Amino acid sequence: MKRLSLLAPLALAACAHSTAPCTSDTTARSAAAATADSVAYVPTGASGSPAPATLRVTSEAFAEGTTIPMRSVFGAFGCTGENRSPAIQWSGTPEGTRSFAVIVHDPDAPTGTGFYHWVAYDLPGDARSLPDNAGAEGSLPAGAHVGRTDYGTGAYGGPCPPPGPAHRYRFSVYALDTPALGAPGGSSAALVRFMLRGHVLAHGTLTGTYGR
């Protein structure tokens, strides 16, 4: 599984430098986005029904729908950013919240399922923000865990789409009714999202864009 994860960014990089038609064309992008968006972004709520999107997620680095700054862009595969996760804040936390999860996902990546850039969970229930560069290895609060991104690491990996239209990057925050999901560190994004089911009290998303 780790080998497959490491191949994903290499495939994207090859696509970016190829002179032949690439899967990042409009048709393929639309199909990939449709597939990724069809995967439930709001897992089953704690009451068995979809969780209401009550959290308000913001960042001083970028506003909803605007460009993610270069300091948060990836620093390899043809991209020249600093690869620092942006500071984010959230409000509207419901009573009973015992932990949080944060997932950063690009639904427009030409993979069929998008691309996961950060998976963090078991964040303390009294957290209301993450500082700049919290996605660096070993920078999260004690007890928190990180999952495996599609770059094949546990640390935050910034945007690095192939040349073409800008991609969307969703910074989703989930308020959970459990102090720990039970997913071991290094778990895949798919497993973490599965483990979220039945525990989400509220969620919110901040979407930034980046293209090259």
Side-chain angles (χ1 to χ4, degrees), residues 17 113-114 131 152-153 165 171 176 185:
H17 294 287
T113 56
T153 72
F171 290 71
L176 309 175

Side-chain angles (χ1 to χ4, degrees), residues 41 57 88 101-105 170-174 203-206:
Y41 231 83
V57 184
I88 58 173
V102 175
I103 297 177
V104 180
H105 179 246
R170 292 170 165 169
F171 290 71
S172 294
V173 180
Y174 300 89
H203 101 291
T205 298
L206 171 67

Side-chain angles (χ1 to χ4, degrees), residues 121-167:
Y121 49 99
D122 298 345
L123 297 167
D126 59 355
R128 297 296 181 268
S129 65
L130 287 174
D132 174 78
N133 207 31
E137 186 174 354
S139 296
L140 290 176
H145 291 93
V146 291
R148 188 175 65 251
T149 72
D150 286 335
Y151 285 117
T153 72
Y156 166 86
C160 187
H167 287 203

Side-chain angles (χ1 to χ4, degrees), residues 58-98:
T58 60
S59 175
E60 296 178 356
F62 65 95
E64 173 69 25
T66 64
T67 302
I68 293 172
M70 284 300 298
R71 65 186 285 108
S72 295
V73 172
F74 201 55
F77 302 114
C79 293
T80 57
E82 298 178 37
N83 203 41
R84 298 173 66 93
S85 61
I88 58 173
Q89 304 82 39
W90 56 89
S91 58
T93 301
E95 184 177 353
T97 297
R98 302 185 68 189

